Amino acid sequence: LWVYYGLPPALGIRLDALASRAEVARGTLYNYFPSKDALLGAILEPVLEQALRGVKPLRRRKARAAVQGMVDLYLALWRDHEHALCIAFGPQGRLVEQVEELHVRYVREVMALFERAARAGVLRTDDARASAMTFRLTVVPVLGTFAALPEAEQRARETLCAMLLRPE
C-alpha cells in the first residue's frame, strides 16, 4: 500500500531517518516531535478534527442522505489530507494517545449514523457494524484506485454508495 501511494512506510522507520528524508536537521525534527507518536498525532489530529466537524451535521439528514454525506466527507478528507488518510488506514496505521479522545468521539458519531441507517432499512447489509467496517476497510483503497481517473470523485462516490446502500 505504501508503494502504491508513493509514501514511505513512515511508521516503520525511525525519526532520524525521517529527518534525513525530509532534509531537515534531526535536532529540528526532535524539537517539534520528541517521538514518532508525537509526529503521528500531529499528522492525524487535523484529519480527525475535520472528520468530527463534518460528521456532526449529518445527524440532521435523512438516513440515506447521511450515508451519502459520509462518503462526501471522505472525498473532502481525501482532497485535504490524502497522505494522512493513507497513514491512518494503511497496514501499519494505528492510533496514538494524543488523538484517542477525538477518535472515540468520531467513531461514536459514525456508528450512530450507521445505526440510524440500519433502522431505516437503507443499508445493503442491514447491519450497522458490518456496514461501518466495510466502509472503514474500503474507503481509502477505493479513493486511491480512482484518484488518477477522470471523474474520480464521482466514480468513488458511486462505488462506495453502491457498496453501502440498497438501491432506491
Side-chain angles (χ1 to χ4, degrees):
L1 185 65
W2 294 101
V3 172
Y4 175 80
Y5 289 116
L7 295 171
L11 300 176
I13 63 176
R14 298 181 352 200
L15 273 182
D16 55 344
L18 285 173
S20 174
R21 188 171 182 121
E23 299 179 1
V24 298
R26 185 176 61 178
T28 300
L29 185 63
Y30 279 102
N31 280 337
Y32 290 99
F33 306 106
S35 69
K36 199 182 321 183
D37 281 356
L39 174 59
L40 187 57
I43 291 169
L44 296 178
E45 191 168 7
V47 179
L48 281 167
E49 287 171 346
Q50 182 178 343
L52 190 56
R53 280 191 314 271
V55 75
K56 285 183 177 184
L58 299 178
R59 293 181 202 159
R60 295 187 296 272
R61 294 186 183 182
K62 291 184 178 183
R64 177 177 294 278
V67 173
Q68 291 166 334
M70 191 71 198
V71 170
D72 289 338
L73 172 59
Y74 271 81
L75 290 169
L77 290 170
W78 184 262
R79 282 189 303 270
D80 296 345
H81 305 283
E82 175 185 340
H83 292 160
L85 285 181
C86 292
I87 290 169
F89 287 84
Q92 299 178 25
R94 64 185 176 88
L95 283 177
V96 292
E97 189 175 330
Q98 178 179 334
V99 296
E100 187 175 345
E101 187 265 332
L102 270 174
H103 183 257
V104 167
R105 289 176 31 215
Y106 174 70
V107 168
R108 193 175 297 132
E109 292 286 337
V110 170
M111 285 309 302
L113 181 149
F114 277 104
E115 287 165 0
R116 189 164 51 92
R119 286 192 304 274
V122 300
L123 296 177
R124 271 194 187 275
T125 65
D126 289 326
D127 184 307
R129 278 188 120 31
S131 294
M133 186 57 71
T134 297
F135 185 70
R136 186 211 176 284
L137 292 173
T138 60
V139 65
V140 169
V142 167
L143 292 169
T145 297
F146 290 116
L149 298 176
E151 301 173 8
E153 287 195 5
Q154 184 60 29
R155 289 176 187 218
R157 180 182 293 111
E158 289 170 358
T159 299
L160 291 165
C161 286
M163 283 192 310
L164 296 170
L165 295 168
R166 292 184 187 278
E168 289 187 77

